Amino acid sequence: MKHKILIFCSCLLLFISCKKEENKPASVNEQAVASQLKLSFAFKVGNRPYFKDTLYTLNGRTLKFRTVNFYVSNFELQGTDSVTKIPQSYLLVKPGKTDFVFPLKKQAYSKLSFAVGLDSVANHANPADYSPNHPLYFQNENMHWDWNTGYIFTKTEGWVDTTEAGNQFPVTNFSYHLGTMDVYRKLEFPKTITFSGDTALVKFEIDIEAYLKDVDFLQELETSSITPRDKYLAVKIANNSSLAFQIK
């Protein structure tokens, strides 16, 4: 008799457990994404595609790049009668990591906006609190100063020729590390966004030549955005964000 009671109780518990599992709200990862937004970024230097260690001429000088990294975040889309905010939309865009997908309700959209940099909350987060595959986790190409200063929003590094001729092989280091809220830039793009099937594809180009517009490679070889002298150059470069990011 006791044996039969134990079997009955076990079956009852299993049944209740299954019902709870059926009624449990699905997480975002468990839900089937009916429609999605795909963001695709392509780097270029003027009218040429970007390639690491390739020689380019910018502002009258020969140079080549070794690092080009951009944090972009807080994507929003203007719908017919409301704004759709994409939660946790923090992206580290760099060569080799340029395509990203988010769930998005299928409807007509007329404008897309995002920020170059990170909002204040994300900027002062601890990278150790994120999983290793998260863009705000520690990166091989370090993108974080410390908890107080926060993240490096954009990192552009390479070598430039600083000889009088300006057209020799580049050997002088340049390094532009932009961070702090002084260089946080919100960009808006009027754009009719439509779906093909269940996917809305939006393409951007990031023009590094435009981003470094008016930089004097003889006098302005580095910035970290922290000291007043550095901040002047950092703000000048950050103000070029609207020129550098182009929607296709």
Side-chain angles (χ1 to χ4, degrees):
M1 182 68 180
K2 289 183 179 179
H3 181 66
K4 291 182 178 179
I5 292 174
L6 287 173
I7 293 175
F8 173 77
C9 290
S10 298
C11 292
L12 180 61
L13 288 172
L14 180 61
F15 174 78
I16 293 172
S17 175
C18 290
K19 292 300 289 181
K20 284 184 177 179
E21 193 68 28
E22 289 174 3
N23 295 330
K24 184 184 71 173
S27 69
V28 172
N29 290 332
E30 292 171 329
Q31 292 175 350
V33 178
S35 53
Q36 63 184 12
L37 170 67
K38 182 177 180 180
L39 301 171
S40 183
F41 297 85
F43 288 95
K44 68 177 186 176
V45 183
N47 59 4
R48 297 173 60 189
Y50 168 89
F51 294 104
K52 183 178 180 180
D53 293 329
T54 295
L55 296 180
Y56 299 96
T57 301
L58 265 71
N59 304 341
R61 304 210 158 263
T62 300
L63 56 71
K64 63 177 180 177
F65 298 96
R66 66 174 176 270
T67 305
V68 177
N69 292 350
F70 286 81
Y71 272 118
V72 294
S73 64
N74 297 313
F75 284 79
E76 298 181 359
L77 295 97
Q78 178 64 58
T80 304
D81 53 10
S82 64
V83 174
T84 298
K85 297 183 178 182
I86 299 180
Q88 296 298 312
S89 51
Y90 300 112
L91 308 179
L92 179 56
V93 183
K94 57 184 179 178
K97 186 68 173 176
T98 55
D99 293 329
F100 308 89
V101 174
F102 294 99
L104 181 66
K105 178 183 176 181
K106 186 185 290 189
Q107 64 172 353
Y109 297 96
S110 59
K111 183 172 65 176
L112 181 147
S113 65
F114 64 87
V116 179
L118 302 173
D119 58 80
S120 181
V121 174
N123 186 40
H124 294 292
N126 184 351
D129 291 339
Y130 296 95
S131 62
N133 62 345
H134 195 282
L136 297 182
Y137 188 70
F138 297 106
Q139 303 294 320
N140 291 333
E141 298 165 334
N142 183 33
M143 294 295 290
H144 188 263
W145 282 309
D146 56 50
W147 70 270
N148 184 43
T149 307
Y151 285 83
I152 300 171
F153 293 173
T154 73
K155 176 180 282 191
T156 313
E157 300 175 332
W159 299 269
V160 63
D161 174 35
T162 56
T163 66
E164 184 177 353
N167 60 1
Q168 305 301 303
F169 191 80
V171 295
T172 301
N173 182 74
F174 67 84
S175 175
Y176 307 121
H177 296 181
L178 276 61
T180 76
M181 301 312 293
D182 290 315
V183 297
Y184 181 84
R185 294 292 181 271
K186 191 74 176 282
L187 305 180
E188 291 188 352
F189 301 90
K191 173 75 172 178
T192 300
I193 298 172
T194 56
F195 285 80
S196 176
D198 290 326
T199 300
L201 173 62
V202 181
K203 295 183 178 181
F204 289 94
E205 290 183 334
I206 307 176
D207 185 354
I208 307 305
E209 180 177 39
Y211 192 59
L212 299 181
K213 180 177 178 290
D214 295 331
V215 171
D216 183 349
F217 289 111
L218 289 180
Q219 304 294 328
E220 300 172 325
L221 285 170
E222 62 180 356
T223 180
S224 61
S225 299
I226 299 174
T227 69
R229 179 184 65 85
D230 284 349
K231 189 170 292 187
Y232 168 80
L233 176 56
V235 168
K236 180 167 77 168
I237 294 174
N239 288 342
N240 291 331
S241 297
S242 59
L243 301 176
F245 283 80
Q246 304 161 6
I247 197 166
K248 304 305 290 181

